[in-house]
Each structure stands twice: as structure tokens, then as C-alpha cells.
Amino acid sequence: MSLKLADQKLAELADKLSTNSALWKLYHEHRAGRPLPSSKVLGEIVDLTRAIVFPGYFGKSNVLVHSLKYPIGAGIQELYELLVDQILAGLCFSDEELDMCAMRCMAEEKAIAVVEKLPELQTVLATDVEAAYNGDPAAENYGEIISCYPCIRAMTNYRLAHELFVLGVPLIPRILTEMAHSETGIDIHPGATIGHHFAIDHGTGVVIGATCVIGNNVKLYQGVTLGAKSFPLDENGNPIKGIPRHPILEDDVIVYSNATVLGRITIGKGTVVGGNIWVTESTKPGEMIVQKK
């Protein structure tokens, strides 16, 4: 094929791709002055959050307790500035029609609201570390849990993303939890509500749906799915979004590996769900649900 003919075919291909009728589903039109979210910067936000919450384990390792407030203070300032820009980028996907000045103010308000949640986020993540440590006899110290256990990385992303989700920030929360999904194999939707002392042992293959409500002192093992049983459709045949369709797990529930719990059912306080089973009905408190022989 001659060079001229190759150039012609490439030009024709570019024309087809840029006018494809499917493009409206795949392309977000960039407006002047309105940036798109950056996965690179969101990765920096995750790294900063982990370094602030777990100083010495993430970020710089030579952090001294008597001067801890200085690197944390610098990290908070940088985190705030990065959050403002990325929240602003996320707001471009909002249905609200706002000018850039109003969007910038909104992004700043939401960013400071998230940063103000960091002490609370740190406190609840400390309970997650404690739960993982107490629940695994192989763990020798908290440092091993923080450094090595995928559930802590996934929960840090989730708890940060959940705060952004509650504030109504579009897109960004889901990107953050999907980053953890790629890193750990744990898929938690940012809309899920999860209490304190939450542990996921091993973690790979765990799925927690958007409308899940999980109480305190709950433990999941690898491969657990907390999913939806069906998707109600509207009169046009499209899925109805935003309705509760995932399980409620009350306090002190344990769900063993590869169990599938589906639908808006309630797993009662203290219930133990055995491995490799399918649960689609609510349980009474304290029940043990296992395979029949």
C-alpha cells in the first residue's frame, strides 16, 4: 500500500470515528475552563489521605511524633487544594447549570467539608485496623495490618469516597473506589453505608452494592457478594435507579467466603452466614445459615 493511500484511509477512519452515532455515549464535551477529572491527581489524593491518616506507614516513613503536626499540616493544605480542583472537575458532570465562579465556590465548600471529616475518618479507620487485627490470628501487629492488608487500603478509599458521595459530588467518589477495586480486588460502591470495626479477611472478589447498609463489628471473607436480586424497570424499560435494592447487615454479622446475599433483605444481628451459599431471605438475629447436608 502506498503512503498516500494509507494516509487517505487513516483520514477516512478518523472521520468515521469522530462522526460515529455511538459517540454521544462515549464522549464528554470539554467546555472552555472546565477541566475533566484526572486519575493521576486522584491517585495523589489517595496517597495524601493515607499519609495523613496513617503517618509513617504511607508517605514519608521518618515521621517523628513531636513534629507530626508539620507534615500533616502540609499534607492537609495540599490535599485541600487538589480536592478543590478535582471536585470542580466532577461538578462538570452535574445536572445543575452553574457558571464557573459558582462551581468554584461550591467545590471549595465541599473540599473543606471533606477535609474537616479527616479526624472522624481517621478514628473509624483505626477501628477497622483493630477489627482486622483481632480477627486474624496470623497478624502479629497493627503495622502489618496497615501495611499489608488490602481491606485497609480499600476502606481508606471507600471512607473518603463516601464523604464525597454524601456531599453530592458526581463521578469522583466512584473513581476513587474503583481505584481501590483495581488495587485490591475489593469492590465497594461509595454509596454503601458501613459502620465501625469493619473487616474484610483476604478480600479478593468482595462486592458491596450501592444501597447496602452494614452495621458495626461486621466481618466478610473473600468472594462475598452483597448484591441486588433484580432491577425494577420504568415504563420505558430502563432500570429505576436510587431505590434500596441491596442487603442490610446488622451488627456483629459474619459472612464467610463466596456467600452471595441478594436483595433488600435484613441479616439479623449476630447472624453467621456460611460459605458458598445463596441467601435471598431475611434472617432472625443470631441464626447460623449453612448448606444442608
Side-chain angles (χ1 to χ4, degrees), residues 127-144:
T127 72
D128 297 336
V129 171
E130 182 181 9
Y133 175 76
N134 290 338
D136 187 356
E140 296 185 357
N141 51 63
Y142 282 4
E144 183 179 350

Side-chain angles (χ1 to χ4, degrees), residues 28 31-35 87-110 167-170:
H28 179 77
R31 304 183 208 176
R34 298 193 178 191
I87 291 172
L88 178 60
L91 290 173
C92 294
F93 289 84
S94 173
D95 293 332
E96 293 186 72
E97 288 294 331
L98 300 172
D99 59 39
M100 275 303 293
C101 182
M103 287 177 67
R104 182 84 188 181
C105 289
M106 186 181 294
E108 291 172 353
E109 290 172 1
K110 292 180 185 297
L167 288 167
V169 177

Side-chain angles (χ1 to χ4, degrees), residues 124 126-135 155 159 193-201 213-221 249-256 267-273:
V124 73
T127 72
D128 297 336
V129 171
E130 182 181 9
Y133 175 76
N134 290 338
M155 288 304 294
R159 294 204 184 276
T193 302
I194 302 177
H196 59 74
H197 287 88
F198 179 68
I200 305 175
D201 204 353
V213 179
I214 298 175
N216 304 319
N217 301 300
V218 170
K219 185 176 185 179
L220 310 180
Y221 284 80
L249 274 60
E250 294 184 341
D251 296 349
D252 307 318
V253 166
I254 300 175
V255 185
Y256 281 94
I267 305 302
K269 177 180 171 65
T271 294
V272 175
V273 178

